[in-house]
């Protein structure tokens, strides 16, 4: 992980103290899955924009992103050092959901190649929008198990970063870079 990315994760981490507002549920039967839930204090339209547009994603995800909202389109984040995340959009329902064939980090080459399915849902709720992420498509094997554990934490951090954006305003990536 690059130093700048480390600074971002530290700056937006709610989970460091152990009281993360993101609920993470690991299941193994009937299907291995990761389920993440978080309440975002924003209107569904605003949360949708954060996922469905480049400009919205740049406010919380990272400064270098591609969001091509169409089936087969890219939903990609280009981190420093040539690392990428995200995936390919399988389907979407405006204001309701986006499903992605998700890439695992480069350290899990088989899982990255095979991919999992990440379904983001957005539901109006009292005080904002409930965002859920259901990640399925896990296979057997050590690399798959390691990626599962890694992404249980990594995707919780991702949603904490989204929450940070809506509690504190858009992340100023240039300021973070200068403060390093």
């Amino acid at each position: 992980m690059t130093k700048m990315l480390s600074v971002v994760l530290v700056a937006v981490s709610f989970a460091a103290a152990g009281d993360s507002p993101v609920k993470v549920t690991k299941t193994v039967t009937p299907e291995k899955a990761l389920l993440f839930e978080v309440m975002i204090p924003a209107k569904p339209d605003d949360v949708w924009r954060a996922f469905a547009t480049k400009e919205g994603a740049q406010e919380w995800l990272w400064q270098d992103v591609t969001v091509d909202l169409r089936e087969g389109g890219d939903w990609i984040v280009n981190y420093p050092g040539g690392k990428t995340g995200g995936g390919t959009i399988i389907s979407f329902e405006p204001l309701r959901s986006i499903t992605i064939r998700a890439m695992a980090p480069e350290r899990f080459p088989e899982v990255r190649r095979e991919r999992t399915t990440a379904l983001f849902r957005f539901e109006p709720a009292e005080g904002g929008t409930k965002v859920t992420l259901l990640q399925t498509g896990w296979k057997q094997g050590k690399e798959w198990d390691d990626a599962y554990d890694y992404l249980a934490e990594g995707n919780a951090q991702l949603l904490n970063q989204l929450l940070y954006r809506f509690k504190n305003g858009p992340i100023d990536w240039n300021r973070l870079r200068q403060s390093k």
Side-chain angles (χ1 to χ4, degrees), residues 84-140:
T84 58
T88 305
I89 298 170
I90 297 171
S91 64
F92 66 94
E93 185 178 345
L95 302 174
R96 308 252 348 206
S97 67
I98 296 177
T99 305
I100 298 170
R101 285 193 67 237
M103 291 186 289
E106 288 84 352
R107 68 194 298 179
F108 306 108
E110 179 185 344
V111 181
R112 185 176 177 86
R113 183 180 62 254
E114 299 280 329
R115 301 197 181 190
T116 59
T117 300
L119 168 59
F120 293 92
R121 290 190 184 182
F122 315 100
E123 301 173 47
E126 188 174 322
T129 304
K130 179 180 178 184
V131 176
T132 58
L133 164 55
L134 177 62
Q135 192 167 15
T136 59
W138 299 98
K139 296 183 180 180
Q140 299 298 315

Side-chain angles (χ1 to χ4, degrees), residues 36-178:
F36 305 85
E37 301 173 90
V38 66
M39 282 298 302
I40 303 296
K43 298 176 194 172
D45 289 2
D46 295 331
V47 177
W48 175 255
R49 179 187 168 276
F51 277 84
T53 70
K54 176 179 181 171
E55 297 76 19
Q58 287 174 322
E59 294 177 355
W60 70 279
L61 188 56
W62 186 244
Q63 61 188 359
D64 185 4
V65 297
T66 301
V67 178
D68 181 10
L69 190 62
R70 63 179 178 83
E71 289 182 20
D74 285 338
W75 196 86
I76 302 287
V77 56
N78 299 296
Y79 293 113
K83 306 291 183 184
T84 58
T88 305
I89 298 170
I90 297 171
S91 64
F92 66 94
E93 185 178 345
L95 302 174
R96 308 252 348 206
S97 67
I98 296 177
T99 305
I100 298 170
R101 285 193 67 237
M103 291 186 289
E106 288 84 352
R107 68 194 298 179
F108 306 108
E110 179 185 344
V111 181
R112 185 176 177 86
R113 183 180 62 254
E114 299 280 329
R115 301 197 181 190
T116 59
T117 300
L119 168 59
F120 293 92
R121 290 190 184 182
F122 315 100
E123 301 173 47
E126 188 174 322
T129 304
K130 179 180 178 184
V131 176
T132 58
L133 164 55
L134 177 62
Q135 192 167 15
T136 59
W138 299 98
K139 296 183 180 180
Q140 299 298 315
K142 180 170 176 17
E143 184 179 313
W144 286 89
D145 293 342
D146 291 348
Y148 178 85
D149 291 336
Y150 179 90
L151 288 167
E153 292 183 28
N155 284 334
Q157 178 57 50
L158 179 86
L159 293 176
N160 274 316
Q161 198 162 307
L162 175 70
L163 178 60
Y164 179 92
R165 180 267 174 261
F166 282 103
K167 284 189 166 186
N168 300 289
I171 297 172
D172 183 344
W173 302 110
N174 291 324
R175 183 179 60 76
L176 283 174
R177 185 179 312 135
Q178 293 168 356

